[in-house]
Amino acid sequence: MPEQPPRRVALITGATAGLGAAFAARLAAERWDLELVARDAARLSACAADLSARYGVRVGVIPVDLATGSGTATVEERLRETPVELLVNNAGIGLGKGFLDSTLDDELRILRLNVEAVMRLTFAVLPQMTERHSGGVINVSSLSGYGVTAPGSTYTATKAYVINFSESVAQSVRRYGVHVLALCPGFIRTEFHQRAGIPTAGSPGWIWLDADTVAAKALSDLRKGHYVSVPTVRYKLAATALRHTPHGLVRRFSEAGNRFVGRGAR
């Protein structure tokens, strides 16, 4: 019998809901084996069992909190032991309050999850990818990373880091046949806003994106060797505006939306 080709393995963080779950389902449908990372062990196991049953792929689970050093270290170890072809750094949080109303613990947590974990897991997986001259990393950022769109929020700063970090690393590993992509969506219908305590009632329907559509676009752009993926024409225009509009005007627009965060909501 001819030898079976090696199975492709993708590791996805924040994999039990929203965009992470969309990546997992789409890759499983393409016959990728998966390593799924999330905090909720019961939900993670149920998600893995469902994907394995539906698509006949192998699904491993890593129930850890990536906002802790030990949780990130556990995933780093798995990345060094497993021939991962694709890493999706999707786990992230926002805070439904401004900096002055926050706590130091909350601010450090968002930095550890949105910034440190992304950097550490990317650092852990790239040696194996560059050695075999194949592989890819998708780091989930946000359109908000292009400007101070939420006054008094650390979130936009963390997402700006992810964009710049990803583009910089992408340039350094491209010669090895490895691709790194910053995914910068706008509003996606997931649990993110609810968990962060950010109100969305009354927001127009046209701003919302479908998670599966965003995941499909990101995978397509990664395979094309793009450094950044911004789904849909309307959000590409928004990204261009944020990047090229004078900072003073951006600040004025963002301050008008201050009801969502910080003391301006009062």
Side-chain angles (χ1 to χ4, degrees), residues 43-62:
R43 193 176 184 184
L44 189 60
S45 295
C47 180
D50 176 65
L51 290 170
S52 183
R54 274 198 288 162
Y55 300 107
V57 296
R58 291 191 291 268
V59 185
V61 297
I62 312 172

Side-chain angles (χ1 to χ4, degrees), residues 67-176:
T68 66
S70 60
T72 302
T74 297
V75 182
E76 286 174 313
E77 184 177 357
R78 183 73 62 92
L79 285 169
R80 294 182 181 117
E81 294 174 346
T82 306
V84 171
E85 185 72 16
L86 174 64
L87 167 65
V88 181
N89 276 315
N90 168 71
I93 56 172
L95 300 175
K97 53 190 173 183
F99 192 74
L100 295 178
D101 294 319
S102 189
T103 67
L104 182 59
D105 285 345
D106 283 343
E107 294 300 321
L108 290 173
R109 180 174 177 79
I110 196 173
L111 288 174
R112 284 194 295 266
L113 184 57
N114 291 15
V115 173
E116 183 181 332
V118 170
M119 181 275 293
R120 286 177 58 176
L121 299 188
T122 302
F123 188 82
V125 81
L126 284 179
Q128 58 161 289
M129 291 183 174
T130 55
E131 184 177 351
R132 67 171 180 265
H133 288 255
S134 71
V137 178
I138 296 175
N139 291 326
V140 178
S141 181
S142 168
L143 190 72
S144 67
Y146 285 119
V148 184
T149 57
S153 171
T154 307
Y155 178 79
T156 55
T158 67
K159 294 306 182 180
Y161 170 87
V162 173
I163 295 171
N164 282 273
F165 168 72
S166 300
E167 288 196 75
S168 177
V169 174
Q171 294 177 51
S172 68
V173 300
R174 191 180 185 91
R175 66 182 183 271
Y176 297 103

Side-chain angles (χ1 to χ4, degrees), residues 221-237:
D221 285 346
L222 181 75
R223 289 159 183 161
K224 292 174 183 176
H226 294 180
Y227 289 177
V228 176
S229 176
V230 181
T232 76
V233 172
R234 63 182 179 272
Y235 277 121
K236 289 182 191 297
L237 292 173

